[in-house]
Amino acid sequence: MKKVTLLFFATALSTIHTYAQREWKNWNGINVQIPVVKKLDVQLGHTRAYNLSDKYRNEFNQTAFQFRYDHNRHWDFSTGLQIIKPVSATESRQRFFVRAAYTARVLDKKFNWTNSLRIDQNSKNERRFRQRIIVSTRLATRKRLEFLNLTPSVMYTMFYNIGGSPIRYYDANSILIDTDTPDGFHRGRFTANLNSKINDYLRLNLYFMTQTEFNFLSSPTNKMNVYDPVRNRTLRPFDNFNVIGATLNVSLDELF
């Protein structure tokens, strides 16, 4: 287990060093989990996001509401609503989602391996996409470490965008060849997380996340970060950054 912990920290530090030149952000949140009936919880959350590279400027605030159903040891399902309020915008964006996740015990049953699929439906004022398909894979120790009651984990997530505002695509001679939405896999996130169980009611997540945007398996007329010679600017530029975050989870299961 000590080797696993050292490997976890080595991976996180290596990733941080690799992406050190990116813009840095800080996301802080709180989640409250309230049981409804057996296996069914309602979760309320709020996150505030700040830009460390720009004088700790508040970029957006997000409020989330979801139901989660733990079907059995392997399967869980959730659905909910996220309300995102960018500080620079006059109106909020809404995001409805459904998610299914499957967890298996692997590597001599010492780790939990969770794979999930999530589908988002966004409000019309979300210009970058209308729907998203999100696939994630996460590996975590099954039992907590004695040190600070920690559970380390790593996760990688890919986002498939559908719809949104169309982009004009030009050929090498600056001739318009198509106008289309940049559908496809355009974002990946790697997260290294430490979850500490403080007591029966409180758990603290400390995490590092790095976001990378790209054109993975995209056709020439479905790409992001493309040059528009008419307006002399890059359309839908890649948004790459790092996040250092903390989330306090409050569980009221023991009270009911």
Side-chain angles (χ1 to χ4, degrees), residues 22-255:
R22 296 183 176 200
E23 198 170 52
W24 285 83
K25 303 176 187 290
N26 171 231
W27 295 356
N28 300 313
I30 183 170
N31 292 321
V32 180
Q33 178 179 317
I34 306 170
V36 179
V37 294
K38 186 178 180 180
K39 297 186 177 183
L40 179 65
D41 294 326
V42 60
Q43 298 180 13
L44 305 173
H46 184 73
T47 300
R48 301 182 75 86
Y50 300 90
N51 192 324
L52 292 171
S53 301
D54 187 12
K55 301 179 181 179
Y56 207 64
R57 176 174 55 87
N58 183 208
E59 292 189 320
F60 71 87
N61 303 311
Q62 174 179 288
T63 300
F65 172 88
Q66 73 169 352
F67 286 100
R68 171 174 169 147
Y69 176 70
D70 291 318
H71 180 63
N72 54 36
R73 191 179 70 184
H74 298 291
W75 286 98
D76 68 81
F77 305 90
S78 57
T79 183
L81 176 69
Q82 294 174 325
I83 301 173
I84 304 102
K85 178 63 175 70
V87 175
S88 59
T90 57
E91 57 182 352
S92 300
R93 302 194 300 263
Q94 294 79 43
R95 179 176 298 152
F96 172 77
F97 68 89
V98 292
R99 177 181 180 270
Y102 179 82
T103 300
R105 294 178 178 177
V106 298
L107 300 177
D108 201 24
K109 297 185 178 180
K110 293 182 179 180
F111 293 85
N112 285 333
W113 185 24
T114 302
N115 292 285
S116 65
L117 173 67
R118 168 173 155 163
I119 300 175
D120 289 355
Q121 174 66 45
N122 293 273
S123 56
K124 292 182 179 180
N125 57 346
E126 174 55 81
R127 308 299 182 189
R128 298 166 298 173
F129 37 75
R130 184 56 48 82
Q131 295 86 25
R132 285 195 308 186
I133 300 172
I134 306 172
V135 290
S136 298
T137 186
R138 176 178 180 268
L139 189 67
T141 56
R142 191 168 68 85
K143 295 183 179 181
R144 291 186 177 273
L145 308 179
E146 292 183 5
F147 178 69
L148 295 179
N149 244 346
L150 289 177
T151 296
S153 64
V154 291
M155 180 172 68
Y156 190 74
T157 304
M158 287 191 70
F159 299 75
Y160 187 96
N161 298 344
I162 303 172
S165 299
I167 290 179
R168 293 181 177 181
Y169 296 92
Y170 296 83
D171 64 12
N173 298 315
S174 300
I175 297 175
L176 180 66
I177 56 175
D178 198 5
T179 301
D180 204 350
T181 56
D183 298 354
F185 285 107
H186 292 298
R187 175 181 294 175
R189 285 179 175 176
F190 169 80
T191 305
N193 182 80
L194 289 173
N195 177 282
S196 176
K197 182 178 180 181
I198 301 172
N199 54 41
D200 289 339
Y201 307 101
L202 299 176
R203 291 166 176 78
L204 178 64
N205 283 332
L206 298 176
Y207 64 91
F208 164 76
M209 186 270 285
T210 184
Q211 172 173 298
T212 303
E213 293 195 330
F214 40 68
N215 293 311
F216 181 62
L217 301 178
S218 299
S219 69
T221 55
N222 287 114
K223 291 184 176 182
M224 292 171 44
N225 200 58
V226 296
Y227 178 66
D228 184 338
V230 175
R231 286 177 282 183
N232 190 29
R233 64 186 181 93
T234 300
L235 303 180
R236 209 69 54 85
F238 292 150
D239 187 17
N240 302 326
F241 58 83
N242 301 324
V243 174
I244 295 293
T247 303
L248 180 66
N249 296 301
V250 181
S251 175
L252 302 182
D253 287 346
E254 299 297 327
L255 297 180

